[in-house]
Amino acid sequence: MSTGYVYHELYGWHDTGTHAGLLPADPRRGLQPFRHFENAEAKRRVHELVVATGLVDRLTRLAPRPATDEEILLVHTPGHLARLVAANDTGGDAGDGGSPFGPGALDIARLATGGVIRAAEAVVDGEVDNSYALVRPPGHHALSDVGMGFCMLANIAIAVSAVRASRGVERIAVVDIDVHHGNGTQAAFEDDPNVLTVSVHQDRVFPPDSGFVTERGTGAGHGYALNLPLPPGTGNGGYLEAMRRVVLPALHRFRPDLIVVAAGFDANPVDPLARMMVTAGGYRQIGRMLLDAAAELCDGRIAFAHEGGYDPVYVPFCAHAVIEVLAGVEQPFEDPFGVNFDNQGQQELQPHQETAIEAAEKLVAEIG
Ligand SMILES: Cc1nn(C)c(C)c1/N=N/c1ccc(/C=C/C(=O)NO)cc1
Ligand SMILES: [Zn+2]
């Protein structure tokens, strides 16, 4: 099993400044300066754990390249790119006031997008069996004409469009396990029946009023967007049931040629930006299920792109667990927090979670 791995030190240099977590510091509003939640720490520490455990020696390092204007414009408007180019010397905000960036950020964002493209291309070309792109800034909230939710460029939507254009890949499924709704990826392929987008997320955390089970895609794409908003507090039991009853059946009906995973780990029990309880062991099982689906449906072709996940201590164990599965590691590295989190009350599937799952499960049969 060969697993491609993309990481570059420049991803850690993306400067999101000293917001008070999410909002610009402002003494008049009582907002004391503090690092932005989307800072380098969690992702840099994922890489450090991958190196320190020796897992990196079992991976095939793939060097990222900057996404070209042409690739970016497959998804984004010229106006959006022009605004990012214009702000590249001074720094600015991706568009929603909560997504700041420093000088040169567009260069890093292009490298993140290009890293996901490289990871996807390597899988399609058979250079590796599967891949993991540990990139920053994230991308799954970026819309064609505006960035948001810490995202400047729609990394996965651009990579999906790029491999379709350059390699003629027909049917691509994007599974978004980030705890926030993958609104940007969904919007990019809203009317496209050849791209299935499935997002499992905490109900209405971000973007606000987004990710309802009623959002199904439009026109020819109706039925090819699937949303499963889960209640706060959902743990491994709820997530694995969502995988078994919604995500995997949807993939089997859609029969993709390639699976791309928006791998956010902010559904973990100690993440500052959500309220779920998925452990590294839970993520390991989710990764296993997705890898098995790829093996059954598309010769194992699956590429993961890192999205959110903000706790610098625990996210490394969650991402490491998934990368171990991709690399076929038999003896997983132990999660030192796992026992504690597994023993938390109500980790198993709860009735109100099953109700949410049933609502999405009904829609799977409509995937053509
Ligand atoms: C609260 C609040 N107040 N205001 C004004 C804003 C802008 C607020 N939250 N913004 C958020 C909250 C969460 C995210 C998560 C992103 C992610 O991890 N995606 O995967 C992004 C922005
Ligand atoms: Zn997220």
Side-chain angles (χ1 to χ4, degrees):
M1 186 75 76
S2 65
T3 297
Y5 178 65
V6 174
Y7 180 71
H8 196 292
E9 278 64 24
L10 280 174
Y11 297 149
W13 295 14
H14 172 55
D15 180 3
T16 50
T18 56
H19 268 49
L22 281 174
L23 304 174
D26 182 340
R28 297 163 301 176
R29 301 176 68 191
L31 290 163
Q32 303 174 48
F34 193 67
R35 63 185 182 195
H36 195 284
F37 281 123
E38 205 293 316
N39 59 70
E41 282 313 294
K43 294 157 190 183
R44 185 184 283 145
R45 290 161 65 98
V46 170
H47 177 66
E48 295 218 359
L49 186 61
V50 166
V51 172
T53 65
L55 176 56
V56 72
D57 301 324
R58 301 186 56 160
L59 307 174
T60 303
R61 197 70 180 260
L62 303 173
R65 60 160 174 84
T68 64
D69 284 8
E70 186 187 12
E71 288 166 331
I72 292 169
L73 294 173
L74 289 170
V75 171
H76 292 288
T77 61
H80 179 59
L81 180 55
R83 270 193 305 278
L84 295 178
V85 169
N88 201 30
D89 287 341
T90 57
D93 187 282
D96 64 355
S99 309
F101 57 79
L106 179 57
D107 303 51
I108 299 173
R110 283 180 188 273
L111 203 62
T113 304
V116 178
I117 295 172
R118 178 77 178 95
E121 287 177 340
V123 167
V124 171
D125 295 346
E127 188 181 345
V128 293
D129 295 311
N130 55 53
S131 62
Y132 195 93
L134 177 58
V135 298
R136 181 172 176 262
H140 73 145
H141 295 310
L143 299 171
S144 62
D145 59 351
V146 66
M148 60 185 286
F150 321 151
C151 304
M152 296 173 68
L153 297 175
N155 299 335
I156 287 176
I158 295 168
V160 164
S161 303
V163 294
R164 292 173 84 191
S166 68
R167 285 155 171 81
V169 181
E170 267 294 303
R171 298 165 69 83
I172 300 178
V174 181
V175 177
D176 189 319
I177 60 171
D178 186 287
V179 79
H180 305 101
H181 177 222
N183 65 301
T185 314
Q186 175 178 299
F189 304 107
E190 190 87 36
D191 61 355
D192 189 335
N194 288 312
V195 179
L196 170 71
T197 58
V198 185
S199 180
V200 181
H201 44 269
Q202 182 179 334
D203 184 23
R204 279 170 292 172
V205 175
F206 188 84
D209 295 332
S210 179
F212 297 100
V213 69
T214 49
E215 294 170 25
R216 307 285 314 286
T218 56
H222 181 79
Y224 293 93
L226 196 51
N227 284 292
L228 173 41
L230 288 167
T234 303
N236 295 341
Y239 264 76
L240 296 178
E241 190 74 353
M243 292 298 297
R244 279 191 288 269
R245 290 172 59 175
V246 179
V247 178
L248 298 181
L251 290 173
H252 277 81
R253 285 193 66 92
F254 182 68
R255 311 200 64 73
D257 302 313
L258 169 70
I259 298 172
V260 178
V261 180
F265 296 94
D266 33 16
N268 76 72
V270 287
D271 202 90
L273 286 180
R275 289 293 167 272
M276 300 302 228
M277 302 195 326
V278 180
T279 66
Y283 281 114
R284 184 189 318 282
Q285 293 181 78
I286 290 169
R288 178 79 265 160
M289 291 162 122
L290 291 169
L291 193 67
D292 290 348
E296 290 161 42
L297 297 168
C298 47
D299 300 322
R301 284 189 297 271
I302 189 166
F304 286 67
H306 200 94
E307 290 283 354
Y310 303 98
D311 181 76
V313 173
Y314 196 57
V315 164
F317 291 101
C318 297
H320 189 277
V322 167
I323 299 170
E324 280 185 317
V325 168
L326 296 182
V329 170
E330 297 299 327
Q331 296 300 324
F333 191 82
E334 186 187 351
D335 161 16
F337 300 91
V339 171
N340 170 279
F341 289 148
D342 287 343
N343 291 334
Q344 286 181 356
Q346 308 196 41
Q347 262 288 7
E348 64 280 357
L349 174 68
Q350 305 296 310
H352 64 302
Q353 299 162 4
E354 182 154 20
T355 304
I357 291 167
E358 285 165 356
E361 185 179 30
K362 290 193 183 90
L363 307 178
V364 172
E366 295 179 31
I367 296 172

